[in-house]
Amino acid sequence: MMETGSVSRSAESGALRARNAEASRARSAEALRRVRSVEALRARNTELAGQLRAAAMESDDAHMTRLLSELLRFHGLTKGQRVSLQLKALLNLVHSLRCVALADDLTGLYNRRGFMQIGARLLDVATRDVRSAHLVYFDVNHLERTNRTLGRTVGDVMIRQMGNFMRDLYPSYGVYEVLGRLGGDEFAALTTCPQYATRGAIVLRAGAQPPHSGDLPALSLSVGVAHFNPRRPVGIDELLASAEQAMYEHKRVTGIASSEQIPHPV
């Protein structure tokens, strides 16, 4: 009888271990399913943030409403996970809208507001690190004439090519450099690198650009440069105004006509 009882207890113990192991596997599978579900939703959130940005740029209110509705519907998650993902989704939306507010939709560079905000931060860092900086002001010559004679579509191509030229000229943009389209045919770059912080070097580089196909004219620029001394720091507004004045002086010296009123030195 003792042997029979021992066998019975051993069988019960084995069955209990099997049930525990099965329960453990089930818990692990459920945990893995939840992790994968959260990861999939995070990936979808990132995708939806990009779609929201595009919808905002296109002013497509109906599409934005559908995307927001999807962001707020999560299933199979705990309340804490759901709230966390919804907050992340809304932060992605805010970031996307902020990017839209600071970006030029034609070139992808900063617009004037974005250039001034991010440029001010770069000057703060340059002052802290006692590092020189250089603000370069560009004007694309003959753009208005191109718009009149060849059409605004061709002019837009020139603007995009100018944006690409600036990216090639300042490859560290986003880190040590800030690039912006200030409006119309005017662009600016703020850089801590002296390589392309002189008018001669920039004009020479622009002249070396390969010829464009079709009727698109070669890239012609008027350029002004203002230098930032970290030991005598000035604001981004003053630095930009100095570079703009230098650009108009270059335009005046080269005899390039502009439809805008060219300011005269005080």
Side-chain angles (χ1 to χ4, degrees), residues 73-138:
R73 288 197 304 267
F74 298 116
H75 303 288
L77 300 176
T78 65
K79 181 179 179 180
Q81 289 173 327
R82 186 167 59 252
V83 170
S84 176
L85 281 174
Q86 288 172 347
L87 287 175
K88 181 66 180 296
L90 292 175
L91 285 174
N92 285 339
L93 173 60
V94 170
H95 177 70
S96 295
L97 295 178
R98 182 175 180 273
C99 289
V100 171
L102 299 180
D104 172 59
D105 57 356
L106 197 57
T107 63
L109 305 179
Y110 285 115
N111 58 21
R112 178 178 284 271
R113 178 188 299 173
F115 181 83
M116 300 299 279
Q117 286 188 14
I118 308 304
R121 295 178 193 173
L122 189 147
L123 292 182
D124 287 342
V125 173
T127 301
R128 182 197 67 193
D129 297 342
V130 195
R131 188 172 185 178
S132 298
H134 318 276
L135 199 154
V136 186
Y137 202 109
F138 302 86

Short mmCIF file of all heavy atoms in Angstrom, two decimals, residues 73-138:
data_model
loop_
_atom_site.label_atom_id
_atom_site.label_comp_id
_atom_site.label_asym_id
_atom_site.label_seq_id
_atom_site.Cartn_x
_atom_site.Cartn_y
_atom_site.Cartn_z
N ARG A 73 -8.24 54.76 -30.90
CA ARG A 73 -8.90 53.45 -30.74
C ARG A 73 -7.82 52.37 -30.61
O ARG A 73 -7.15 52.02 -31.57
CB ARG A 73 -9.78 53.13 -31.94
CG ARG A 73 -11.04 53.96 -32.03
CD ARG A 73 -12.04 53.29 -32.99
NE ARG A 73 -11.46 53.07 -34.30
CZ ARG A 73 -11.56 53.91 -35.32
NH1 ARG A 73 -12.20 55.05 -35.16
NH2 ARG A 73 -11.01 53.64 -36.49
N PHE A 74 -7.65 51.87 -29.39
CA PHE A 74 -6.70 50.79 -29.15
C PHE A 74 -7.44 49.66 -28.43
O PHE A 74 -8.18 49.90 -27.48
CB PHE A 74 -5.52 51.27 -28.29
CG PHE A 74 -4.71 52.35 -28.92
CD1 PHE A 74 -4.66 53.61 -28.34
CD2 PHE A 74 -4.02 52.13 -30.09
CE1 PHE A 74 -3.92 54.62 -28.92
CE2 PHE A 74 -3.28 53.14 -30.68
CZ PHE A 74 -3.23 54.38 -30.09
N HIS A 75 -7.19 48.45 -28.86
CA HIS A 75 -7.88 47.29 -28.27
C HIS A 75 -6.84 46.27 -27.78
O HIS A 75 -5.73 46.19 -28.28
CB HIS A 75 -8.79 46.63 -29.30
CG HIS A 75 -9.82 47.55 -29.88
ND1 HIS A 75 -10.90 48.01 -29.15
CD2 HIS A 75 -9.92 48.15 -31.10
CE1 HIS A 75 -11.63 48.82 -29.90
NE2 HIS A 75 -11.05 48.92 -31.09
N GLY A 76 -7.24 45.50 -26.79
CA GLY A 76 -6.38 44.44 -26.29
C GLY A 76 -5.25 44.92 -25.41
O GLY A 76 -4.27 44.20 -25.23
N LEU A 77 -5.35 46.14 -24.85
CA LEU A 77 -4.30 46.69 -24.00
C LEU A 77 -4.87 47.04 -22.64
O LEU A 77 -6.07 47.26 -22.48
CB LEU A 77 -3.70 47.94 -24.64
CG LEU A 77 -3.06 47.79 -26.02
CD1 LEU A 77 -2.62 49.16 -26.52
CD2 LEU A 77 -1.88 46.85 -25.97
N THR A 78 -3.97 47.12 -21.66
CA THR A 78 -4.40 47.60 -20.36
C THR A 78 -4.67 49.10 -20.45
O THR A 78 -4.24 49.77 -21.40
CB THR A 78 -3.33 47.35 -19.29
OG1 THR A 78 -2.17 48.14 -19.61
CG2 THR A 78 -2.93 45.88 -19.25
N LYS A 79 -5.35 49.63 -19.45
CA LYS A 79 -5.67 51.05 -19.46
C LYS A 79 -4.40 51.89 -19.47
O LYS A 79 -4.29 52.89 -20.20
CB LYS A 79 -6.52 51.39 -18.24
CG LYS A 79 -6.92 52.86 -18.18
CD LYS A 79 -7.80 53.16 -16.98
CE LYS A 79 -8.18 54.64 -16.93
NZ LYS A 79 -9.03 54.94 -15.74
N GLY A 80 -3.39 51.47 -18.68
CA GLY A 80 -2.14 52.21 -18.63
C GLY A 80 -1.43 52.22 -19.97
O GLY A 80 -0.91 53.25 -20.41
N GLN A 81 -1.39 51.06 -20.64
CA GLN A 81 -0.76 50.98 -21.96
C GLN A 81 -1.51 51.84 -22.98
O GLN A 81 -0.89 52.52 -23.81
CB GLN A 81 -0.71 49.53 -22.43
CG GLN A 81 0.27 48.66 -21.67
CD GLN A 81 0.16 47.20 -22.07
OE1 GLN A 81 -0.93 46.71 -22.40
NE2 GLN A 81 1.27 46.49 -22.04
N ARG A 82 -2.82 51.80 -22.91
CA ARG A 82 -3.62 52.57 -23.85
C ARG A 82 -3.39 54.07 -23.68
O ARG A 82 -3.18 54.80 -24.66
CB ARG A 82 -5.10 52.23 -23.67
CG ARG A 82 -6.01 52.87 -24.72
CD ARG A 82 -7.40 52.28 -24.69
NE ARG A 82 -8.05 52.44 -23.41
CZ ARG A 82 -8.26 51.46 -22.53
NH1 ARG A 82 -7.86 50.21 -22.81
NH2 ARG A 82 -8.88 51.68 -21.38
N VAL A 83 -3.38 54.53 -22.43
CA VAL A 83 -3.15 55.95 -22.16
C VAL A 83 -1.75 56.36 -22.61
O VAL A 83 -1.55 57.42 -23.21
CB VAL A 83 -3.35 56.26 -20.67
CG1 VAL A 83 -2.88 57.67 -20.33
CG2 VAL A 83 -4.82 56.10 -20.28
N SER A 84 -0.76 55.50 -22.35
CA SER A 84 0.62 55.81 -22.74
C SER A 84 0.75 55.96 -24.25
O SER A 84 1.37 56.91 -24.74
CB SER A 84 1.55 54.70 -22.24
OG SER A 84 2.87 54.92 -22.69
N LEU A 85 0.15 55.05 -25.00
CA LEU A 85 0.23 55.12 -26.45
C LEU A 85 -0.54 56.32 -27.01
O LEU A 85 -0.11 56.95 -27.98
CB LEU A 85 -0.30 53.83 -27.07
CG LEU A 85 0.67 52.64 -27.05
CD1 LEU A 85 -0.03 51.40 -27.54
CD2 LEU A 85 1.90 52.93 -27.89
N GLN A 86 -1.67 56.63 -26.38
CA GLN A 86 -2.43 57.78 -26.85
C GLN A 86 -1.66 59.08 -26.62
O GLN A 86 -1.64 59.96 -27.48
CB GLN A 86 -3.79 57.83 -26.15
CG GLN A 86 -4.75 56.74 -26.62
CD GLN A 86 -6.01 56.67 -25.80
OE1 GLN A 86 -6.09 57.26 -24.73
NE2 GLN A 86 -6.99 55.94 -26.28
N LEU A 87 -0.98 59.19 -25.48
CA LEU A 87 -0.18 60.37 -25.22
C LEU A 87 0.97 60.47 -26.21
O LEU A 87 1.28 61.56 -26.72
CB LEU A 87 0.38 60.33 -23.79
CG LEU A 87 -0.63 60.60 -22.66
CD1 LEU A 87 0.02 60.40 -21.30
CD2 LEU A 87 -1.18 62.03 -22.76
N LYS A 88 1.61 59.33 -26.50
CA LYS A 88 2.69 59.33 -27.48
C LYS A 88 2.16 59.74 -28.86
O LYS A 88 2.82 60.49 -29.60
CB LYS A 88 3.32 57.94 -27.56
CG LYS A 88 4.50 57.82 -28.53
CD LYS A 88 5.67 58.65 -28.07
CE LYS A 88 6.84 58.52 -29.03
NZ LYS A 88 7.37 57.14 -29.09
N ALA A 89 0.99 59.26 -29.20
CA ALA A 89 0.40 59.60 -30.49
C ALA A 89 0.13 61.10 -30.59
O ALA A 89 0.41 61.74 -31.61
CB ALA A 89 -0.88 58.81 -30.70
N LEU A 90 -0.40 61.67 -29.51
CA LEU A 90 -0.70 63.10 -29.53
C LEU A 90 0.58 63.93 -29.57
O LEU A 90 0.64 64.98 -30.21
CB LEU A 90 -1.54 63.47 -28.31
CG LEU A 90 -2.96 62.89 -28.32
CD1 LEU A 90 -3.68 63.20 -27.01
CD2 LEU A 90 -3.76 63.44 -29.50
N LEU A 91 1.63 63.45 -28.88
CA LEU A 91 2.92 64.15 -28.95
C LEU A 91 3.48 64.09 -30.37
O LEU A 91 4.07 65.07 -30.85
CB LEU A 91 3.91 63.52 -27.96
CG LEU A 91 3.69 63.86 -26.49
CD1 LEU A 91 4.64 63.07 -25.61
CD2 LEU A 91 3.90 65.36 -26.26
N ASN A 92 3.32 62.94 -31.04
CA ASN A 92 3.75 62.84 -32.43
C ASN A 92 3.01 63.84 -33.31
O ASN A 92 3.59 64.45 -34.21
CB ASN A 92 3.51 61.42 -32.95
CG ASN A 92 4.53 60.43 -32.43
OD1 ASN A 92 5.62 60.81 -32.01
ND2 ASN A 92 4.18 59.15 -32.44
N LEU A 93 1.71 64.00 -33.03
CA LEU A 93 0.91 64.95 -33.80
C LEU A 93 1.41 66.37 -33.58
O LEU A 93 1.58 67.14 -34.53
CB LEU A 93 -0.55 64.84 -33.40
CG LEU A 93 -1.49 65.90 -34.01
CD1 LEU A 93 -1.48 65.84 -35.52
CD2 LEU A 93 -2.90 65.72 -33.47
N VAL A 94 1.65 66.72 -32.32
CA VAL A 94 2.14 68.07 -32.01
C VAL A 94 3.48 68.31 -32.70
O VAL A 94 3.72 69.38 -33.27
CB VAL A 94 2.26 68.26 -30.49
CG1 VAL A 94 2.98 69.56 -30.17
CG2 VAL A 94 0.88 68.26 -29.84
N HIS A 95 4.36 67.31 -32.64
CA HIS A 95 5.67 67.44 -33.30
C HIS A 95 5.51 67.62 -34.80
O HIS A 95 6.20 68.44 -35.41
CB HIS A 95 6.52 66.22 -32.99
CG HIS A 95 7.86 66.23 -33.67
ND1 HIS A 95 8.87 67.09 -33.32
CD2 HIS A 95 8.34 65.49 -34.72
CE1 HIS A 95 9.92 66.90 -34.10
NE2 HIS A 95 9.63 65.94 -34.95
N SER A 96 4.61 66.85 -35.39
CA SER A 96 4.39 66.96 -36.84
C SER A 96 3.88 68.34 -37.22
O SER A 96 4.35 68.96 -38.17
CB SER A 96 3.38 65.90 -37.30
OG SER A 96 3.90 64.60 -37.11
N LEU A 97 2.92 68.85 -36.44
CA LEU A 97 2.37 70.17 -36.73
C LEU A 97 3.42 71.25 -36.51
O LEU A 97 3.47 72.25 -37.23
CB LEU A 97 1.14 70.43 -35.86
CG LEU A 97 -0.05 69.51 -36.13
CD1 LEU A 97 -1.19 69.83 -35.18
CD2 LEU A 97 -0.52 69.63 -37.58
N ARG A 98 4.28 71.07 -35.52
CA ARG A 98 5.35 72.03 -35.28
C ARG A 98 6.32 72.05 -36.45
O ARG A 98 6.79 73.11 -36.88
CB ARG A 98 6.09 71.70 -33.98
CG ARG A 98 7.20 72.68 -33.63
CD ARG A 98 7.81 72.36 -32.27
NE ARG A 98 8.86 73.30 -31.95
CZ ARG A 98 10.13 73.15 -32.31
NH1 ARG A 98 10.49 72.08 -33.03
NH2 ARG A 98 11.05 74.04 -31.98
N CYS A 99 6.64 70.86 -36.97
CA CYS A 99 7.52 70.78 -38.13
C CYS A 99 6.91 71.49 -39.33
O CYS A 99 7.60 72.19 -40.07
CB CYS A 99 7.82 69.32 -38.48
SG CYS A 99 8.90 68.49 -37.28
N VAL A 100 5.60 71.31 -39.51
CA VAL A 100 4.92 71.97 -40.62
C VAL A 100 5.00 73.49 -40.44
O VAL A 100 5.23 74.23 -41.40
CB VAL A 100 3.45 71.52 -40.69
CG1 VAL A 100 2.67 72.37 -41.68
CG2 VAL A 100 3.38 70.05 -41.10
N ALA A 101 4.85 73.96 -39.21
CA ALA A 101 4.85 75.40 -38.95
C ALA A 101 6.21 76.03 -39.19
O ALA A 101 6.31 77.22 -39.48
CB ALA A 101 4.40 75.67 -37.52
N LEU A 102 7.29 75.24 -39.07
CA LEU A 102 8.64 75.79 -39.17
C LEU A 102 9.31 75.48 -40.50
O LEU A 102 10.44 75.93 -40.73
CB LEU A 102 9.52 75.26 -38.03
CG LEU A 102 9.06 75.59 -36.61
CD1 LEU A 102 10.03 75.01 -35.59
CD2 LEU A 102 8.92 77.10 -36.41
N ALA A 103 8.67 74.71 -41.37
CA ALA A 103 9.31 74.26 -42.60
C ALA A 103 8.73 74.95 -43.83
O ALA A 103 7.55 75.31 -43.87
CB ALA A 103 9.17 72.74 -42.74
N ASP A 104 9.60 75.12 -44.83
CA ASP A 104 9.17 75.61 -46.13
C ASP A 104 8.76 74.40 -46.96
O ASP A 104 9.56 73.49 -47.17
CB ASP A 104 10.32 76.36 -46.81
CG ASP A 104 10.01 76.71 -48.25
OD1 ASP A 104 9.02 77.41 -48.48
OD2 ASP A 104 10.75 76.26 -49.15
N ASP A 105 7.52 74.37 -47.43
CA ASP A 105 7.01 73.17 -48.08
C ASP A 105 7.62 72.94 -49.46
O ASP A 105 7.57 71.81 -49.98
CB ASP A 105 5.48 73.20 -48.18
CG ASP A 105 4.96 74.43 -48.93
OD1 ASP A 105 5.79 75.29 -49.29
OD2 ASP A 105 3.75 74.52 -49.13
N LEU A 106 8.23 73.94 -50.07
CA LEU A 106 8.79 73.78 -51.41
C LEU A 106 10.19 73.18 -51.38
O LEU A 106 10.54 72.35 -52.22
CB LEU A 106 8.81 75.12 -52.14
CG LEU A 106 8.98 75.09 -53.66
CD1 LEU A 106 7.89 74.25 -54.32
CD2 LEU A 106 8.96 76.51 -54.22
N THR A 107 10.99 73.58 -50.40
CA THR A 107 12.38 73.10 -50.33
C THR A 107 12.64 72.11 -49.20
O THR A 107 13.62 71.38 -49.24
CB THR A 107 13.33 74.29 -50.13
OG1 THR A 107 13.03 74.91 -48.86
CG2 THR A 107 13.18 75.31 -51.23
N GLY A 108 11.78 72.11 -48.19
CA GLY A 108 12.04 71.27 -47.02
C GLY A 108 12.98 71.92 -46.03
O GLY A 108 13.22 71.37 -44.95
N LEU A 109 13.53 73.10 -46.35
CA LEU A 109 14.36 73.84 -45.41
C LEU A 109 13.45 74.53 -44.39
O LEU A 109 12.23 74.52 -44.50
CB LEU A 109 15.20 74.88 -46.15
CG LEU A 109 16.09 74.39 -47.29
CD1 LEU A 109 16.84 75.56 -47.91
CD2 LEU A 109 17.07 73.32 -46.82
N TYR A 110 14.07 75.15 -43.38
CA TYR A 110 13.27 75.96 -42.46
C TYR A 110 12.68 77.16 -43.20
O TYR A 110 13.28 77.68 -44.14
CB TYR A 110 14.13 76.47 -41.31
CG TYR A 110 14.48 75.43 -40.28
CD1 TYR A 110 15.80 75.03 -40.09
CD2 TYR A 110 13.49 74.85 -39.49
CE1 TYR A 110 16.13 74.07 -39.15
CE2 TYR A 110 13.81 73.89 -38.54
CZ TYR A 110 15.12 73.50 -38.38
OH TYR A 110 15.44 72.55 -37.45
N ASN A 111 11.49 77.59 -42.77
CA ASN A 111 10.98 78.87 -43.24
C ASN A 111 11.60 79.97 -42.36
O ASN A 111 12.47 79.69 -41.52
CB ASN A 111 9.45 78.90 -43.22
CG ASN A 111 8.88 78.62 -41.83
OD1 ASN A 111 9.55 78.76 -40.81
ND2 ASN A 111 7.62 78.22 -41.78
N ARG A 112 11.19 81.22 -42.57
CA ARG A 112 11.80 82.32 -41.81
C ARG A 112 11.66 82.10 -40.31
O ARG A 112 12.61 82.28 -39.54
CB ARG A 112 11.19 83.66 -42.21
CG ARG A 112 11.75 84.85 -41.44
CD ARG A 112 11.14 86.16 -41.90
NE ARG A 112 11.70 86.58 -43.16
CZ ARG A 112 12.79 87.34 -43.29
NH1 ARG A 112 13.45 87.74 -42.21
NH2 ARG A 112 13.22 87.70 -44.47
N ARG A 113 10.48 81.71 -39.87
CA ARG A 113 10.25 81.51 -38.44
C ARG A 113 11.15 80.41 -37.90
O ARG A 113 11.80 80.57 -36.85
CB ARG A 113 8.78 81.14 -38.18
CG ARG A 113 8.48 80.87 -36.71
CD ARG A 113 7.07 80.31 -36.54
NE ARG A 113 6.06 81.25 -37.01
CZ ARG A 113 4.78 80.96 -37.11
NH1 ARG A 113 4.35 79.75 -36.79
NH2 ARG A 113 3.92 81.86 -37.52
N GLY A 114 11.22 79.30 -38.62
CA GLY A 114 12.06 78.20 -38.17
C GLY A 114 13.53 78.59 -38.15
O GLY A 114 14.27 78.23 -37.22
N PHE A 115 13.97 79.31 -39.20
CA PHE A 115 15.38 79.72 -39.26
C PHE A 115 15.73 80.62 -38.08
O PHE A 115 16.79 80.47 -37.46
CB PHE A 115 15.66 80.45 -40.58
CG PHE A 115 17.09 80.88 -40.73
CD1 PHE A 115 18.05 79.99 -41.20
CD2 PHE A 115 17.48 82.17 -40.41
CE1 PHE A 115 19.38 80.38 -41.33
CE2 PHE A 115 18.80 82.57 -40.53
CZ PHE A 115 19.75 81.67 -41.00
N MET A 116 14.85 81.55 -37.76
CA MET A 116 15.13 82.47 -36.66
C MET A 116 15.16 81.74 -35.31
O MET A 116 16.03 81.99 -34.47
CB MET A 116 14.10 83.59 -36.64
CG MET A 116 14.06 84.43 -37.92
SD MET A 116 15.62 85.26 -38.28
CE MET A 116 15.49 86.69 -37.21
N GLN A 117 14.22 80.82 -35.11
CA GLN A 117 14.17 80.10 -33.84
C GLN A 117 15.37 79.19 -33.66
O GLN A 117 16.07 79.23 -32.64
CB GLN A 117 12.88 79.27 -33.76
CG GLN A 117 11.63 80.08 -33.51
CD GLN A 117 10.42 79.21 -33.25
OE1 GLN A 117 10.54 78.00 -32.99
NE2 GLN A 117 9.24 79.79 -33.31
N ILE A 118 15.65 78.34 -34.66
CA ILE A 118 16.74 77.39 -34.53
C ILE A 118 18.09 78.10 -34.63
O ILE A 118 19.05 77.72 -33.95
CB ILE A 118 16.64 76.30 -35.62
CG1 ILE A 118 15.23 75.68 -35.60
CG2 ILE A 118 17.69 75.23 -35.41
CD1 ILE A 118 14.82 75.11 -34.26
N GLY A 119 18.16 79.16 -35.45
CA GLY A 119 19.39 79.92 -35.54
C GLY A 119 19.76 80.58 -34.22
O GLY A 119 20.94 80.64 -33.85
N ALA A 120 18.76 81.10 -33.50
CA ALA A 120 19.02 81.71 -32.20
C ALA A 120 19.62 80.69 -31.23
O ALA A 120 20.53 81.01 -30.45
CB ALA A 120 17.74 82.30 -31.63
N ARG A 121 19.15 79.45 -31.30
CA ARG A 121 19.70 78.41 -30.43
C ARG A 121 21.15 78.11 -30.79
O ARG A 121 22.00 77.92 -29.92
CB ARG A 121 18.86 77.14 -30.54
CG ARG A 121 17.44 77.27 -30.04
CD ARG A 121 16.68 75.99 -30.24
NE ARG A 121 15.24 76.16 -30.06
CZ ARG A 121 14.34 75.23 -30.30
NH1 ARG A 121 14.73 74.03 -30.75
NH2 ARG A 121 13.06 75.47 -30.11
N LEU A 122 21.44 78.06 -32.10
CA LEU A 122 22.82 77.78 -32.51
C LEU A 122 23.75 78.89 -32.03
O LEU A 122 24.88 78.62 -31.59
CB LEU A 122 22.89 77.62 -34.03
CG LEU A 122 24.24 77.13 -34.59
CD1 LEU A 122 24.03 76.26 -35.82
CD2 LEU A 122 25.17 78.28 -34.93
N LEU A 123 23.31 80.15 -32.10
CA LEU A 123 24.14 81.25 -31.62
C LEU A 123 24.35 81.17 -30.10
O LEU A 123 25.44 81.52 -29.60
CB LEU A 123 23.51 82.59 -31.99
CG LEU A 123 23.49 82.94 -33.49
CD1 LEU A 123 22.89 84.33 -33.69
CD2 LEU A 123 24.88 82.87 -34.09
N ASP A 124 23.34 80.72 -29.37
CA ASP A 124 23.51 80.53 -27.92
C ASP A 124 24.60 79.50 -27.64
O ASP A 124 25.44 79.68 -26.75
CB ASP A 124 22.19 80.08 -27.29
CG ASP A 124 21.16 81.19 -27.22
OD1 ASP A 124 21.56 82.37 -27.32
OD2 ASP A 124 19.96 80.88 -27.07
N VAL A 125 24.59 78.40 -28.40
CA VAL A 125 25.60 77.36 -28.23
C VAL A 125 26.98 77.89 -28.62
O VAL A 125 27.98 77.63 -27.95
CB VAL A 125 25.24 76.11 -29.06
CG1 VAL A 125 26.37 75.09 -29.03
CG2 VAL A 125 23.94 75.49 -28.55
N ALA A 126 27.04 78.66 -29.73
CA ALA A 126 28.32 79.23 -30.16
C ALA A 126 28.88 80.17 -29.11
O ALA A 126 30.10 80.19 -28.85
CB ALA A 126 28.14 79.95 -31.49
N THR A 127 28.01 80.96 -28.48
CA THR A 127 28.46 81.86 -27.41
C THR A 127 28.99 81.06 -26.23
O THR A 127 30.05 81.38 -25.66
CB THR A 127 27.30 82.77 -26.97
OG1 THR A 127 26.83 83.52 -28.09
CG2 THR A 127 27.75 83.72 -25.88
N ARG A 128 28.27 80.03 -25.85
CA ARG A 128 28.69 79.20 -24.71
C ARG A 128 30.03 78.53 -24.97
O ARG A 128 30.89 78.47 -24.09
CB ARG A 128 27.62 78.13 -24.45
CG ARG A 128 27.90 77.23 -23.25
CD ARG A 128 27.04 75.99 -23.33
NE ARG A 128 27.42 75.15 -24.47
CZ ARG A 128 26.69 74.13 -24.94
NH1 ARG A 128 25.51 73.86 -24.38
NH2 ARG A 128 27.11 73.42 -25.95
N ASP A 129 30.23 78.03 -26.20
CA ASP A 129 31.45 77.32 -26.54
C ASP A 129 32.55 78.25 -27.07
O ASP A 129 33.62 77.78 -27.47
CB ASP A 129 31.15 76.25 -27.61
CG ASP A 129 30.20 75.18 -27.10
OD1 ASP A 129 30.04 75.08 -25.87
OD2 ASP A 129 29.62 74.46 -27.94
N VAL A 130 32.29 79.55 -27.07
CA VAL A 130 33.22 80.56 -27.60
C VAL A 130 33.66 80.15 -29.01
O VAL A 130 34.86 79.99 -29.30
CB VAL A 130 34.44 80.75 -26.66
CG1 VAL A 130 35.19 82.03 -27.02
CG2 VAL A 130 34.02 80.78 -25.22
N ARG A 131 32.69 79.99 -29.88
CA ARG A 131 32.93 79.53 -31.24
C ARG A 131 32.35 80.53 -32.24
O ARG A 131 31.22 80.97 -32.07
CB ARG A 131 32.30 78.15 -31.44
CG ARG A 131 32.64 77.49 -32.75
CD ARG A 131 32.14 76.07 -32.77
NE ARG A 131 32.56 75.37 -33.98
CZ ARG A 131 32.27 74.09 -34.22
NH1 ARG A 131 31.57 73.38 -33.35
NH2 ARG A 131 32.69 73.53 -35.33
N SER A 132 33.12 80.85 -33.25
CA SER A 132 32.64 81.78 -34.27
C SER A 132 31.53 81.15 -35.10
O SER A 132 31.44 79.93 -35.22
CB SER A 132 33.78 82.21 -35.19
OG SER A 132 34.78 82.89 -34.46
N ALA A 133 30.70 82.00 -35.68
CA ALA A 133 29.65 81.53 -36.59
C ALA A 133 29.54 82.54 -37.73
O ALA A 133 30.04 83.67 -37.64
CB ALA A 133 28.32 81.40 -35.86
N HIS A 134 28.87 82.12 -38.80
CA HIS A 134 28.79 82.94 -40.00
C HIS A 134 27.39 82.83 -40.57
O HIS A 134 26.88 81.72 -40.76
CB HIS A 134 29.82 82.49 -41.04
CG HIS A 134 31.16 82.17 -40.44
ND1 HIS A 134 32.10 83.13 -40.17
CD2 HIS A 134 31.68 80.98 -40.00
CE1 HIS A 134 33.17 82.56 -39.63
NE2 HIS A 134 32.93 81.26 -39.52
N LEU A 135 26.77 83.96 -40.85
CA LEU A 135 25.44 83.96 -41.45
C LEU A 135 25.58 84.41 -42.90
O LEU A 135 26.08 85.50 -43.18
CB LEU A 135 24.49 84.87 -40.69
CG LEU A 135 22.99 84.61 -40.95
CD1 LEU A 135 22.15 85.06 -39.76
CD2 LEU A 135 22.50 85.29 -42.22
N VAL A 136 25.13 83.56 -43.81
CA VAL A 136 25.24 83.81 -45.24
C VAL A 136 23.83 84.06 -45.78
O VAL A 136 22.93 83.24 -45.58
CB VAL A 136 25.89 82.63 -45.98
CG1 VAL A 136 26.12 82.98 -47.45
CG2 VAL A 136 27.21 82.25 -45.31
N TYR A 137 23.66 85.18 -46.47
CA TYR A 137 22.36 85.56 -47.03
C TYR A 137 22.45 85.43 -48.55
O TYR A 137 23.33 86.00 -49.18
CB TYR A 137 22.05 87.01 -46.65
CG TYR A 137 20.59 87.39 -46.69
CD1 TYR A 137 19.88 87.62 -45.52
CD2 TYR A 137 19.92 87.55 -47.90
CE1 TYR A 137 18.54 87.99 -45.56
CE2 TYR A 137 18.59 87.91 -47.95
CZ TYR A 137 17.90 88.13 -46.76
OH TYR A 137 16.58 88.48 -46.79
N PHE A 138 21.54 84.66 -49.13
CA PHE A 138 21.54 84.39 -50.57
C PHE A 138 20.32 85.03 -51.23
O PHE A 138 19.22 85.01 -50.67
CB PHE A 138 21.46 82.88 -50.86
CG PHE A 138 22.56 82.06 -50.26
CD1 PHE A 138 22.46 81.59 -48.97
CD2 PHE A 138 23.67 81.71 -51.01
CE1 PHE A 138 23.45 80.81 -48.42
CE2 PHE A 138 24.67 80.92 -50.46
CZ PHE A 138 24.56 80.47 -49.17
#
